[in-house]
Structure formats: structure tokens, C-alpha cells
Amino acid sequence: QVQLVESGGGLVQAGGSLRLSCVASGGIFSNYLMGWYRQAPGKQRALVATITSSGNTNYRDSVKERFTISRDNAKKTVYLQMNSLKPEDTAVYYCNARNIRSGYDYWGQGTQVTVSS
């Protein structure tokens, strides 16, 4: 069983930056593909970025060059550095851990990011 706790959300003006953190407990961290998803009001949850245990990353097109995902395997923590934020980035951001063997997903409780214009 894996527990995920996110932090770092908040209110920021357009063009600003935020850094989200997600600390995992339980499980073997290296066995998980870690990712960030977001859900805006009235929309489905969507992938933002993922990172493998070896550091390979994947981003949705709209955040490339602005967001950076990283992980510290020793601290069991994954980060999302968000720069040049836009109002359309406003959403609840969720941390995800996907077991690479079973495909089972674990989710954090979510953290609100609001970007004002």
C-alpha cells in the first residue's frame, strides 16, 4: 500500500511559478512510475507529466518548456516545478504512483493550483 501526500499548491499570478511536492510512503519507490495529473472544473483528469525511476520524463504538449518533473528516490519524493504559469493551468493537481509490474494506480488527495490573470 502506497500513500501519497502532495503540497505546494496555491494562488499565483500569471507568469509566476510554483513547485509541487509529493512524498510517498509504503512500497518500494523504484517500482513506481510517478506522475502528476490535473483536473480542471468540468473536465476530466489529464496527464501532466511522468517520470520513471531512472529519470525518463514525458510531458503533455501544453506544459513542455514550462514544467519540469523530477524525483528524489532516496527521499521518495516527486516534484513538479511549474514556471510561466497561465490561467489555463488552474486545476487540482494530483500525484500518481503506478506500479510498473501490476499497473495499479495510487493517488494523492490533490492540491489546488489557481493562476490569476
Side-chain angles (χ1 to χ4, degrees):
Q1 193 79 357
V2 175
Q3 293 81 42
L4 303 171
V5 178
E6 302 110 331
S7 61
L11 173 65
V12 64
Q13 288 188 330
S17 298
L18 283 174
R19 188 194 197 203
L20 306 183
S21 300
C22 172
V23 180
S25 59
I28 299 173
F29 194 62
S30 60
N31 285 348
Y32 292 86
L33 172 72
M34 299 300 298
W36 289 96
Y37 289 70
R38 68 187 183 189
Q39 188 166 17
K43 295 187 176 181
Q44 289 189 330
R45 193 173 297 188
L47 173 70
V48 176
T50 61
I51 184 167
T52 68
S53 60
S54 58
N56 292 318
T57 59
N58 179 56
Y59 297 91
R60 69 182 295 112
D61 287 345
S62 62
V63 307
K64 287 180 180 177
E65 309 302 328
R66 299 189 298 123
F67 291 11
T68 302
I69 188 171
S70 60
R71 66 192 282 169
D72 185 330
N73 289 330
K75 294 182 178 180
K76 294 189 174 182
T77 302
V78 62
Y79 306 96
L80 185 68
Q81 177 66 44
M82 304 185 293
N83 299 327
S84 302
L85 282 160
K86 304 175 180 180
E88 51 263 42
D89 295 318
T90 295
V92 177
Y93 283 70
Y94 295 91
C95 180
N96 170 267
R98 176 168 295 172
N99 188 288
I100 59 175
R101 292 180 173 81
S102 68
Y104 192 84
D105 282 321
Y106 295 91
W107 295 94
Q109 80 284 357
T111 185
Q112 177 70 47
V113 171
T114 303
V115 184
S116 63
S117 57

